[in-house]
Amino acid sequence: MKYGLLSGITWGLNAVILGIALSMAPYVGTAQAIALGAIVSAFLHDAFAAGWMTIYMATKGRLNDTLRALKTRSGKVVMIGALMGGPIGMGGYLVAINHIGASRSAIISTFYPAFGAFLAFMFLKERMRWYQLLAFVTALGGIVAMGILSATDESINNPVVGLIAISLAVIGWGSEAVFSAWGMRDDAVDNETALHIREITSALAYAFIVIPMFGAWAFIFGNEFFSKANGTILLAALAGTISYIVYYKGISIIGAAKTMAVNISYSAWAVLFAFLILGDVPDLITVILCFVILFGTIFSAADARELFARRSVSKVEVNVEDTKLELIKQD
């Protein structure tokens, strides 16, 4: 639980910092900057994160573990998850930030755990109980309402593009968690090697497929690379790397669905960081929809009976300890 919560806090901070970077030159000002800025920043974010993760693994003397894991079937499964979470998921997320803002993007993308739980139900044959399905529909209703709110807000840059992009983030991230959980079943691929594979695969996919496809190399090197904006992305990538380290740790310990369910607290943290750093004050409807989506996705991705059962066990343990103390006092 603590790993999912920490990943949510750091990812919320990551979202706000990325939003700040995308408001700086060379990512604003012209149609080309807006069109290519999100793709380029997504590439730089994952490339920087791959660098941070490589430094992390090198300090632990574990680079050879990653090379060995890449040769396994499970390592290749993680690579598929990397493509879903990186170029598709992260790319869509940054495009959405650029068009509908960091706070709205973070709130809407909280739907991804419900989508991940649905994929687990369809392909891994994990059951979804009636209240989970109801929560799934409730969360979907919150997403639709948030979309309508964004579409009618004149301060939004391009609501249609933003909503399509954030849908790709939901699909990509939900799929990534399922693929990653599957890959980490193998002892040869632990959470840290899986994340290292993920970041490197995503960065290479951007470099050799996505960036050339959009002709974005000229944009990268045609502008000042060592800019304040790219320095901000480097900082965001550090927060994102920390978030992913604890996120993958959570997946390996308690599973994909439960970790995703806790991780979506980043929507609330993003709103909080946006208020603290940028002074953005959310309106009442945004706060209400945030809670609707938050609780809907939590209960569609997690088994409420297990949560209550865990609480009951804790109470029994406390009662046993109290009984022991009482017996000691009597003696």
Side-chain angles (χ1 to χ4, degrees):
M1 187 68 72
K2 63 182 180 182
Y3 295 111
L5 181 60
L6 182 57
S7 70
I9 294 172
T10 49
W11 193 255
L13 179 60
N14 173 75
V16 174
I17 297 175
L18 280 174
I20 295 172
L22 289 173
S23 67
M24 300 177 180
Y27 302 112
V28 293
T30 66
Q32 183 191 42
I34 295 175
L36 296 180
I39 300 299
V40 170
S41 59
F43 161 61
L44 293 178
H45 181 276
D46 276 15
F48 290 151
W52 286 120
M53 196 62 200
T54 299
I55 294 173
Y56 175 79
M57 294 294 280
T59 58
K60 300 185 69 174
R62 300 201 56 208
L63 293 178
N64 287 333
D65 293 343
T66 300
L67 295 176
R68 284 192 293 267
L70 283 169
K71 301 176 182 179
T72 66
R73 180 182 179 183
S74 296
K76 293 178 175 61
V77 170
V78 173
M79 292 175 70
I80 296 174
L83 296 176
M84 296 301 298
I88 295 176
M90 191 62 187
Y93 185 62
L94 288 178
V95 170
I97 288 177
N98 210 14
H99 289 284
I100 59 176
S103 295
R104 287 185 177 85
S105 296
I107 293 170
I108 297 174
S109 64
T110 59
F111 188 59
Y112 85 88
F115 181 78
F118 178 73
L119 288 182
F121 168 72
M122 292 295 294
F123 299 104
L124 302 180
K125 306 305 178 182
E126 296 180 4
R127 290 185 58 189
M128 291 184 70
R129 305 184 186 280
W130 66 267
Y131 58 83
Q132 291 176 309
L133 294 173
L134 178 61
F136 185 93
V137 174
T138 301
L140 181 60
I143 300 297
V144 173
M146 183 64 71
I148 294 174
L149 179 65
S150 298
T152 55
D153 190 338
E154 294 181 353
S155 66
I156 301 300
N157 183 30
N158 192 323
V160 175
V161 173
L163 293 175
I164 293 174
I166 203 62
S167 297
L168 291 178
V170 169
I171 294 170
W173 288 344
S175 302
E176 177 191 3
V178 175
F179 279 113
S180 298
W182 187 5
M184 285 187 287
R185 291 177 178 178
D186 189 345
D187 292 338
V189 184
D190 64 12
N191 57 286
E192 292 181 345
T193 56
L195 177 55
H196 197 199
I197 292 171
R198 186 258 187 230
E199 297 294 7
I200 291 176
T201 301
S202 179
L204 291 176
Y206 273 116
F208 292 102
I209 300 176
V210 179
I211 297 299
M213 183 185 301
F214 286 89
W217 282 116
F219 179 85
I220 294 174
F221 293 108
N223 295 282
E224 185 181 354
F225 181 78
F226 295 100
S227 63
K228 186 177 180 180
N230 288 345
T232 305
I233 294 175
L234 178 64
L235 181 62
L238 177 59
T241 302
I242 295 172
S243 178
Y244 262 110
I245 288 174
V246 291
Y247 180 61
Y248 271 55
K249 180 73 172 179
I251 291 176
S252 68
I253 294 177
I254 62 175
K258 290 181 180 179
T259 303
M260 285 189 292
V262 183
N263 174 259
I264 56 172
S265 62
Y266 76 81
S267 60
W269 293 111
V271 173
L272 176 61
F273 283 125
F275 170 70
L276 294 176
I277 298 174
L278 303 175
D280 292 345
V281 180
D283 54 30
L284 180 60
I285 187 62
T286 298
V287 174
I288 293 174
L289 290 176
C290 178
F291 279 107
V292 170
I293 298 170
L294 183 64
F295 285 108
T297 49
I298 285 176
F299 285 103
S300 65
D303 190 333
R305 298 194 306 176
E306 291 183 6
L307 296 176
F308 292 130
R310 182 178 298 176
R311 179 177 295 180
S312 298
V313 170
S314 299
K315 288 181 178 180
V316 171
E317 291 176 348
V318 171
N319 290 334
V320 170
E321 293 296 328
D322 290 343
T323 302
K324 289 180 180 178
L325 290 174
E326 186 65 30
L327 290 174
I328 292 173
K329 289 180 180 179
Q330 292 178 359
D331 290 341

